[in-house]
Amino acid sequence: MEKFYIGVDLGGTNIAAGIVNENGEILFRKSVKTNLPQPEYVIEDKICNLCKDLCNENGFELGKDITSIGIGTPGNVNSETGVVGFNVNFGYIDWHLKEKIESKIPNVEVFVENDANSAVIAEVIAGCAKGCEHAVILTLGTGVGAGVIVDGKVLNGYNQSAAEIGHMVISAGGRLCNCGRKGCFERYCSATALISDTREAMLANPQSKLWKVCPNIDRVNAKTVFDANELGDETAKQVIDNYIEYLACGITNVVNIFQPEVVCLGGGVSNQEEGLLRPIQEYLDREDYARHLMKRVTLKIATFRNDAGIIGAAMLGVYNA
Amino acid sequence: MEKFYIGVDLGGTNIAAGIVNENGEILFRKSVKTNLPQPEYVIEDKICNLCKDLCNENGFELGKDITSIGIGTPGNVNSETGVVGFNVNFGYIDWHLKEKIESKIPNVEVFVENDANSAVIAEVIAGCAKGCEHAVILTLGTGVGAGVIVDGKVLNGYNQSAAEIGHMVISAGGRLCNCGRKGCFERYCSATALISDTREAMLANPQSKLWKVCPNIDRVNAKTVFDANELGDETAKQVIDNYIEYLACGITNVVNIFQPEVVCLGGGVSNQEEGLLRPIQEYLDREDYARHLMKRVTLKIATFRNDAGIIGAAMLGVYNA
């Protein structure tokens, strides 16, 4: 019999939930506004009602047809206890989320996990790294998020805060990061960094076709520079080459450290697909410490894109089964 | 009843073996020259004879009193099959070492592991990281070697080549490394790098007290610069400050990635003990991404120093029990 799982993507703006099958397909979905700030019990009730409505409206009986609710959220999560240590959006400390939801919905098991960890779980269970015992996801978005699977298990470390690969320095003494360090990977390779590099190049090159692609500099996004490159713009090419040089450097570090079977790239920038994969693969062929071995890492674009939050959370039920 | 284990440190110059107890104490030891180049069976016979002699000379019956032989060696080792994929000293490819030794010595189980991995196993079983489920060792020697324990298991990756932390770039475009990359951690933080930095500073500063400590520049070692610093030499202080800045940067990367309970420092440079631990701890207190948490990494000097090879290899029997 086919099994179904609820996944909840708990964000600061929206709480989005879906009913997901074992293949990572969302069959039904629903969301509500988070409307922060709120006391904890209000958010807990919103999650419970969302799950109940989602089931009622689509003919599922919660606690019978569906017995697993996964919740993915940014921040420091103890996935064993289901306690959210700290999440900057909500501001709660030591939020016993698993316990609270389980007490409000009978006969379900609740799993709570950091959203980057959920994303890599989704990829190894039903996505581009299916079946891999060693895999890493890097999401190139506002920052560089990361989730790591080692020997089939999420890398959490001693304090559930491991895998902050975005805060690995790759250029000592370089760009100042929000975290206080200088030269962090994410200061060169997030979508935010790429956008800021693009803007800087536009200001320095008034004749660049970047201005054609995006006449309003405030509207530059992670795609702008790739579009201008398509038009043969030299400035855009330089921005991309520089971006990819750092990205390949950071990814090669990850490969030398973990030697995973697959590295998945997600987040906005990963929409470039081959435009990223090809040059990074060439770099890996030169610099991967295991480049002479038969068994080597494969670089892929993550399967679950905008829905990674819901699907990753749902897959927690499969991962923990 | 107390249990005993044989550990074999298989190096290009010497093959050293010891009988070790569960606390990681070497009770008896013996070694022979490796005398490379040799065909594989000669080395196998040397290992077997060494283990037999060690037992005979000290009143142990091999296969009865001692049933476990661990072998630690540099290079790419598949610890599950006991096959040495490649080891640059020996030049053998796919050397079925476990199988060969087991066929020559009845009633013993043989474990083969990369030497950096053995070193961290020794530390979590009987050393400074005893009982830790998450630990990292960094050995500051000819290069920067590393072994990592995640969830109680050695990090080997998909192809048994993970944990090449020495080849994590921390200064993109920086010093050229033997591996082909530019800016690798080990090009700044190995003992070799420190010695080369010391020599360069001596040549640029003929008045430095470094010349007093070591009048013959060819004899500079990893201790020279610390000795000159003790004499109040400003040049030495600058070399050390620069060295520690990079070392702390790389260690903080390791902490942000793994969040281990303990990071152990081994190798020649680690003899400086507090002179290293104190400034790196200060750096971690500023830059560790988990610096605000209660549970944080502890930085320690590795327990097993010059004998880490033998003890680590012996502890493979405990680790795999």
PDB file of all heavy atoms in Angstrom, chain A residues 6-8 17-19 30 45-57 60 62 66 69-71 101 105:
ATOM      1  N   ILE A   6       3.146  13.873   5.728  1.00  0.00           N
ATOM      2  CA  ILE A   6       2.985  15.335   5.695  1.00  0.00           C
ATOM      3  C   ILE A   6       4.345  15.990   5.920  1.00  0.00           C
ATOM      4  O   ILE A   6       5.119  15.580   6.790  1.00  0.00           O
ATOM      5  CB  ILE A   6       1.972  15.822   6.758  1.00  0.00           C
ATOM      6  CG1 ILE A   6       0.549  15.439   6.327  1.00  0.00           C
ATOM      7  CG2 ILE A   6       2.053  17.349   6.920  1.00  0.00           C
ATOM      8  CD1 ILE A   6      -0.529  15.858   7.313  1.00  0.00           C
ATOM      9  N   GLY A   7       4.624  16.988   5.101  1.00  0.00           N
ATOM     10  CA  GLY A   7       5.817  17.803   5.290  1.00  0.00           C
ATOM     11  C   GLY A   7       5.409  19.240   5.544  1.00  0.00           C
ATOM     12  O   GLY A   7       4.543  19.765   4.836  1.00  0.00           O
ATOM     13  N   VAL A   8       6.004  19.853   6.562  1.00  0.00           N
ATOM     14  CA  VAL A   8       5.686  21.244   6.896  1.00  0.00           C
ATOM     15  C   VAL A   8       6.956  22.079   6.775  1.00  0.00           C
ATOM     16  O   VAL A   8       7.970  21.777   7.412  1.00  0.00           O
ATOM     17  CB  VAL A   8       5.133  21.369   8.344  1.00  0.00           C
ATOM     18  CG1 VAL A   8       4.831  22.825   8.681  1.00  0.00           C
ATOM     19  CG2 VAL A   8       3.903  20.494   8.531  1.00  0.00           C
ATOM     20  N   ALA A  17       2.448  23.415   3.965  1.00  0.00           N
ATOM     21  CA  ALA A  17       2.421  21.970   4.221  1.00  0.00           C
ATOM     22  C   ALA A  17       1.967  21.237   2.971  1.00  0.00           C
ATOM     23  O   ALA A  17       1.286  21.804   2.116  1.00  0.00           O
ATOM     24  CB  ALA A  17       1.491  21.655   5.378  1.00  0.00           C
ATOM     25  N   GLY A  18       2.378  19.984   2.862  1.00  0.00           N
ATOM     26  CA  GLY A  18       1.954  19.176   1.723  1.00  0.00           C
ATOM     27  C   GLY A  18       1.811  17.721   2.120  1.00  0.00           C
ATOM     28  O   GLY A  18       2.442  17.262   3.076  1.00  0.00           O
ATOM     29  N   ILE A  19       0.957  17.020   1.402  1.00  0.00           N
ATOM     30  CA  ILE A  19       0.881  15.562   1.519  1.00  0.00           C
ATOM     31  C   ILE A  19       1.743  14.999   0.403  1.00  0.00           C
ATOM     32  O   ILE A  19       1.551  15.334  -0.772  1.00  0.00           O
ATOM     33  CB  ILE A  19      -0.570  15.064   1.407  1.00  0.00           C
ATOM     34  CG1 ILE A  19      -1.377  15.610   2.603  1.00  0.00           C
ATOM     35  CG2 ILE A  19      -0.625  13.523   1.381  1.00  0.00           C
ATOM     36  CD1 ILE A  19      -2.842  15.200   2.592  1.00  0.00           C
ATOM     37  N   LYS A  30      -1.139  23.192   1.052  1.00  0.00           N
ATOM     38  CA  LYS A  30      -1.898  24.287   1.665  1.00  0.00           C
ATOM     39  C   LYS A  30      -0.914  25.118   2.485  1.00  0.00           C
ATOM     40  O   LYS A  30       0.055  24.583   3.016  1.00  0.00           O
ATOM     41  CB  LYS A  30      -2.979  23.690   2.582  1.00  0.00           C
ATOM     42  CG  LYS A  30      -4.050  24.677   3.059  1.00  0.00           C
ATOM     43  CD  LYS A  30      -5.092  23.953   3.923  1.00  0.00           C
ATOM     44  CE  LYS A  30      -6.071  24.962   4.497  1.00  0.00           C
ATOM     45  NZ  LYS A  30      -7.075  25.440   3.506  1.00  0.00           N
ATOM     46  N   ASP A  45      -0.595  25.833  17.082  1.00  0.00           N
ATOM     47  CA  ASP A  45      -1.982  25.628  16.642  1.00  0.00           C
ATOM     48  C   ASP A  45      -2.101  25.789  15.128  1.00  0.00           C
ATOM     49  O   ASP A  45      -2.835  25.056  14.470  1.00  0.00           O
ATOM     50  CB  ASP A  45      -2.920  26.607  17.355  1.00  0.00           C
ATOM     51  CG  ASP A  45      -3.156  26.200  18.805  1.00  0.00           C
ATOM     52  OD1 ASP A  45      -2.877  25.023  19.134  1.00  0.00           O
ATOM     53  OD2 ASP A  45      -3.584  27.051  19.611  1.00  0.00           O
ATOM     54  N   LYS A  46      -1.377  26.763  14.585  1.00  0.00           N
ATOM     55  CA  LYS A  46      -1.417  26.952  13.129  1.00  0.00           C
ATOM     56  C   LYS A  46      -0.927  25.697  12.409  1.00  0.00           C
ATOM     57  O   LYS A  46      -1.521  25.261  11.424  1.00  0.00           O
ATOM     58  CB  LYS A  46      -0.532  28.136  12.717  1.00  0.00           C
ATOM     59  CG  LYS A  46      -1.158  29.497  12.955  1.00  0.00           C
ATOM     60  CD  LYS A  46      -0.266  30.601  12.359  1.00  0.00           C
ATOM     61  CE  LYS A  46      -0.814  31.974  12.724  1.00  0.00           C
ATOM     62  NZ  LYS A  46      -0.852  32.890  11.568  1.00  0.00           N
ATOM     63  N   ILE A  47       0.155  25.132  12.902  1.00  0.00           N
ATOM     64  CA  ILE A  47       0.701  23.915  12.284  1.00  0.00           C
ATOM     65  C   ILE A  47      -0.322  22.789  12.370  1.00  0.00           C
ATOM     66  O   ILE A  47      -0.618  22.110  11.390  1.00  0.00           O
ATOM     67  CB  ILE A  47       2.034  23.501  12.968  1.00  0.00           C
ATOM     68  CG1 ILE A  47       3.118  24.549  12.717  1.00  0.00           C
ATOM     69  CG2 ILE A  47       2.491  22.120  12.474  1.00  0.00           C
ATOM     70  CD1 ILE A  47       4.391  24.341  13.537  1.00  0.00           C
ATOM     71  N   CYS A  48      -0.905  22.610  13.550  1.00  0.00           N
ATOM     72  CA  CYS A  48      -1.877  21.523  13.750  1.00  0.00           C
ATOM     73  C   CYS A  48      -3.092  21.704  12.856  1.00  0.00           C
ATOM     74  O   CYS A  48      -3.541  20.760  12.191  1.00  0.00           O
ATOM     75  CB  CYS A  48      -2.332  21.474  15.210  1.00  0.00           C
ATOM     76  SG  CYS A  48      -1.023  20.947  16.312  1.00  0.00           S
ATOM     77  N   ASN A  49      -3.622  22.913  12.822  1.00  0.00           N
ATOM     78  CA  ASN A  49      -4.815  23.157  12.006  1.00  0.00           C
ATOM     79  C   ASN A  49      -4.514  22.970  10.523  1.00  0.00           C
ATOM     80  O   ASN A  49      -5.334  22.435   9.775  1.00  0.00           O
ATOM     81  CB  ASN A  49      -5.363  24.560  12.277  1.00  0.00           C
ATOM     82  CG  ASN A  49      -5.948  24.657  13.686  1.00  0.00           C
ATOM     83  OD1 ASN A  49      -6.402  23.642  14.239  1.00  0.00           O
ATOM     84  ND2 ASN A  49      -5.906  25.840  14.270  1.00  0.00           N
ATOM     85  N   LEU A  50      -3.341  23.404  10.115  1.00  0.00           N
ATOM     86  CA  LEU A  50      -2.948  23.258   8.717  1.00  0.00           C
ATOM     87  C   LEU A  50      -2.902  21.773   8.331  1.00  0.00           C
ATOM     88  O   LEU A  50      -3.423  21.374   7.282  1.00  0.00           O
ATOM     89  CB  LEU A  50      -1.583  23.926   8.514  1.00  0.00           C
ATOM     90  CG  LEU A  50      -1.034  24.017   7.097  1.00  0.00           C
ATOM     91  CD1 LEU A  50      -1.954  24.842   6.213  1.00  0.00           C
ATOM     92  CD2 LEU A  50       0.367  24.654   7.129  1.00  0.00           C
ATOM     93  N   CYS A  51      -2.330  20.970   9.186  1.00  0.00           N
ATOM     94  CA  CYS A  51      -2.232  19.530   8.906  1.00  0.00           C
ATOM     95  C   CYS A  51      -3.619  18.890   8.885  1.00  0.00           C
ATOM     96  O   CYS A  51      -3.927  18.062   8.027  1.00  0.00           O
ATOM     97  CB  CYS A  51      -1.360  18.829   9.948  1.00  0.00           C
ATOM     98  SG  CYS A  51       0.369  19.331   9.873  1.00  0.00           S
ATOM     99  N   LYS A  52      -4.453  19.286   9.845  1.00  0.00           N
ATOM    100  CA  LYS A  52      -5.815  18.727   9.910  1.00  0.00           C
ATOM    101  C   LYS A  52      -6.622  19.124   8.675  1.00  0.00           C
ATOM    102  O   LYS A  52      -7.262  18.283   8.041  1.00  0.00           O
ATOM    103  CB  LYS A  52      -6.517  19.210  11.181  1.00  0.00           C
ATOM    104  CG  LYS A  52      -6.005  18.534  12.448  1.00  0.00           C
ATOM    105  CD  LYS A  52      -6.621  19.153  13.697  1.00  0.00           C
ATOM    106  CE  LYS A  52      -5.995  18.546  14.956  1.00  0.00           C
ATOM    107  NZ  LYS A  52      -6.333  19.332  16.159  1.00  0.00           N
ATOM    108  N   ASP A  53      -6.585  20.410   8.322  1.00  0.00           N
ATOM    109  CA  ASP A  53      -7.340  20.887   7.155  1.00  0.00           C
ATOM    110  C   ASP A  53      -6.870  20.183   5.887  1.00  0.00           C
ATOM    111  O   ASP A  53      -7.678  19.771   5.056  1.00  0.00           O
ATOM    112  CB  ASP A  53      -7.164  22.402   6.984  1.00  0.00           C
ATOM    113  CG  ASP A  53      -7.834  23.183   8.113  1.00  0.00           C
ATOM    114  OD1 ASP A  53      -8.611  22.555   8.882  1.00  0.00           O
ATOM    115  OD2 ASP A  53      -7.574  24.396   8.240  1.00  0.00           O
ATOM    116  N   LEU A  54      -5.551  20.082   5.751  1.00  0.00           N
ATOM    117  CA  LEU A  54      -4.969  19.457   4.560  1.00  0.00           C
ATOM    118  C   LEU A  54      -5.500  18.028   4.407  1.00  0.00           C
ATOM    119  O   LEU A  54      -5.830  17.588   3.300  1.00  0.00           O
ATOM    120  CB  LEU A  54      -3.447  19.460   4.710  1.00  0.00           C
ATOM    121  CG  LEU A  54      -2.585  19.060   3.525  1.00  0.00           C
ATOM    122  CD1 LEU A  54      -2.816  19.953   2.333  1.00  0.00           C
ATOM    123  CD2 LEU A  54      -1.102  19.123   3.940  1.00  0.00           C
ATOM    124  N   CYS A  55      -5.610  17.327   5.513  1.00  0.00           N
ATOM    125  CA  CYS A  55      -6.118  15.955   5.466  1.00  0.00           C
ATOM    126  C   CYS A  55      -7.621  15.940   5.200  1.00  0.00           C
ATOM    127  O   CYS A  55      -8.100  15.244   4.305  1.00  0.00           O
ATOM    128  CB  CYS A  55      -5.802  15.227   6.771  1.00  0.00           C
ATOM    129  SG  CYS A  55      -4.062  14.781   6.877  1.00  0.00           S
ATOM    130  N   ASN A  56      -8.368  16.716   5.983  1.00  0.00           N
ATOM    131  CA  ASN A  56      -9.834  16.741   5.835  1.00  0.00           C
ATOM    132  C   ASN A  56     -10.246  17.096   4.411  1.00  0.00           C
ATOM    133  O   ASN A  56     -11.110  16.457   3.819  1.00  0.00           O
ATOM    134  CB  ASN A  56     -10.452  17.758   6.792  1.00  0.00           C
ATOM    135  CG  ASN A  56     -10.327  17.297   8.241  1.00  0.00           C
ATOM    136  OD1 ASN A  56     -10.142  16.101   8.488  1.00  0.00           O
ATOM    137  ND2 ASN A  56     -10.415  18.233   9.178  1.00  0.00           N
ATOM    138  N   GLU A  57      -9.605  18.117   3.854  1.00  0.00           N
ATOM    139  CA  GLU A  57     -10.004  18.611   2.532  1.00  0.00           C
ATOM    140  C   GLU A  57      -9.677  17.618   1.417  1.00  0.00           C
ATOM    141  O   GLU A  57     -10.196  17.730   0.313  1.00  0.00           O
ATOM    142  CB  GLU A  57      -9.304  19.946   2.244  1.00  0.00           C
ATOM    143  CG  GLU A  57      -9.846  21.079   3.115  1.00  0.00           C
ATOM    144  CD  GLU A  57      -8.944  22.308   3.119  1.00  0.00           C
ATOM    145  OE1 GLU A  57      -8.065  22.414   2.233  1.00  0.00           O
ATOM    146  OE2 GLU A  57      -9.113  23.154   4.011  1.00  0.00           O
ATOM    147  N   PHE A  60      -8.042  12.405   3.670  1.00  0.00           N
ATOM    148  CA  PHE A  60      -7.122  11.590   4.474  1.00  0.00           C
ATOM    149  C   PHE A  60      -7.506  11.702   5.944  1.00  0.00           C
ATOM    150  O   PHE A  60      -7.905  12.781   6.402  1.00  0.00           O
ATOM    151  CB  PHE A  60      -5.675  12.080   4.320  1.00  0.00           C
ATOM    152  CG  PHE A  60      -5.070  11.779   2.975  1.00  0.00           C
ATOM    153  CD1 PHE A  60      -5.255  12.652   1.899  1.00  0.00           C
ATOM    154  CD2 PHE A  60      -4.320  10.632   2.773  1.00  0.00           C
ATOM    155  CE1 PHE A  60      -4.699  12.389   0.659  1.00  0.00           C
ATOM    156  CE2 PHE A  60      -3.757  10.364   1.538  1.00  0.00           C
ATOM    157  CZ  PHE A  60      -3.946  11.241   0.474  1.00  0.00           C
ATOM    158  N   LEU A  62      -6.104  11.900   9.517  1.00  0.00           N
ATOM    159  CA  LEU A  62      -4.847  12.140  10.222  1.00  0.00           C
ATOM    160  C   LEU A  62      -4.768  11.226  11.439  1.00  0.00           C
ATOM    161  O   LEU A  62      -5.715  11.136  12.219  1.00  0.00           O
ATOM    162  CB  LEU A  62      -4.760  13.620  10.636  1.00  0.00           C
ATOM    163  CG  LEU A  62      -3.416  14.150  11.127  1.00  0.00           C
ATOM    164  CD1 LEU A  62      -2.310  13.924  10.111  1.00  0.00           C
ATOM    165  CD2 LEU A  62      -3.508  15.645  11.459  1.00  0.00           C
ATOM    166  N   ILE A  66      -2.390   8.895   7.596  1.00  0.00           N
ATOM    167  CA  ILE A  66      -1.083   9.565   7.700  1.00  0.00           C
ATOM    168  C   ILE A  66      -0.683   9.605   9.171  1.00  0.00           C
ATOM    169  O   ILE A  66      -1.432  10.110  10.012  1.00  0.00           O
ATOM    170  CB  ILE A  66      -1.139  10.999   7.128  1.00  0.00           C
ATOM    171  CG1 ILE A  66      -1.419  10.936   5.615  1.00  0.00           C
ATOM    172  CG2 ILE A  66       0.166  11.742   7.407  1.00  0.00           C
ATOM    173  CD1 ILE A  66      -1.494  12.291   4.948  1.00  0.00           C
ATOM    174  N   ILE A  69       4.386  13.393  10.585  1.00  0.00           N
ATOM    175  CA  ILE A  69       4.486  14.806  10.200  1.00  0.00           C
ATOM    176  C   ILE A  69       5.944  15.232  10.375  1.00  0.00           C
ATOM    177  O   ILE A  69       6.501  15.127  11.469  1.00  0.00           O
ATOM    178  CB  ILE A  69       3.584  15.702  11.087  1.00  0.00           C
ATOM    179  CG1 ILE A  69       2.105  15.335  10.902  1.00  0.00           C
ATOM    180  CG2 ILE A  69       3.810  17.179  10.774  1.00  0.00           C
ATOM    181  CD1 ILE A  69       1.160  16.088  11.831  1.00  0.00           C
ATOM    182  N   GLY A  70       6.546  15.687   9.290  1.00  0.00           N
ATOM    183  CA  GLY A  70       7.907  16.209   9.367  1.00  0.00           C
ATOM    184  C   GLY A  70       7.869  17.728   9.303  1.00  0.00           C
ATOM    185  O   GLY A  70       7.067  18.288   8.566  1.00  0.00           O
ATOM    186  N   ILE A  71       8.708  18.359  10.104  1.00  0.00           N
ATOM    187  CA  ILE A  71       8.753  19.826  10.101  1.00  0.00           C
ATOM    188  C   ILE A  71      10.190  20.259   9.855  1.00  0.00           C
ATOM    189  O   ILE A  71      11.109  19.863  10.579  1.00  0.00           O
ATOM    190  CB  ILE A  71       8.252  20.403  11.453  1.00  0.00           C
ATOM    191  CG1 ILE A  71       6.833  19.899  11.759  1.00  0.00           C
ATOM    192  CG2 ILE A  71       8.297  21.933  11.432  1.00  0.00           C
ATOM    193  CD1 ILE A  71       6.314  20.306  13.137  1.00  0.00           C
ATOM    194  N   ILE A 101       3.450  19.268  19.280  1.00  0.00           N
ATOM    195  CA  ILE A 101       2.558  18.850  18.183  1.00  0.00           C
ATOM    196  C   ILE A 101       2.025  17.440  18.453  1.00  0.00           C
ATOM    197  O   ILE A 101       0.839  17.165  18.237  1.00  0.00           O
ATOM    198  CB  ILE A 101       3.281  18.930  16.814  1.00  0.00           C
ATOM    199  CG1 ILE A 101       3.851  20.333  16.566  1.00  0.00           C
ATOM    200  CG2 ILE A 101       2.335  18.521  15.671  1.00  0.00           C
ATOM    201  CD1 ILE A 101       2.842  21.429  16.422  1.00  0.00           C
ATOM    202  N   ILE A 105      -1.958  16.270  18.414  1.00  0.00           N
ATOM    203  CA  ILE A 105      -2.515  15.406  17.359  1.00  0.00           C
ATOM    204  C   ILE A 105      -2.247  13.949  17.730  1.00  0.00           C
ATOM    205  O   ILE A 105      -1.097  13.509  17.698  1.00  0.00           O
ATOM    206  CB  ILE A 105      -1.879  15.708  15.980  1.00  0.00           C
ATOM    207  CG1 ILE A 105      -2.025  17.198  15.630  1.00  0.00           C
ATOM    208  CG2 ILE A 105      -2.524  14.844  14.892  1.00  0.00           C
ATOM    209  CD1 ILE A 105      -1.416  17.577  14.289  1.00  0.00           C
TER     210      ILE A 105
END
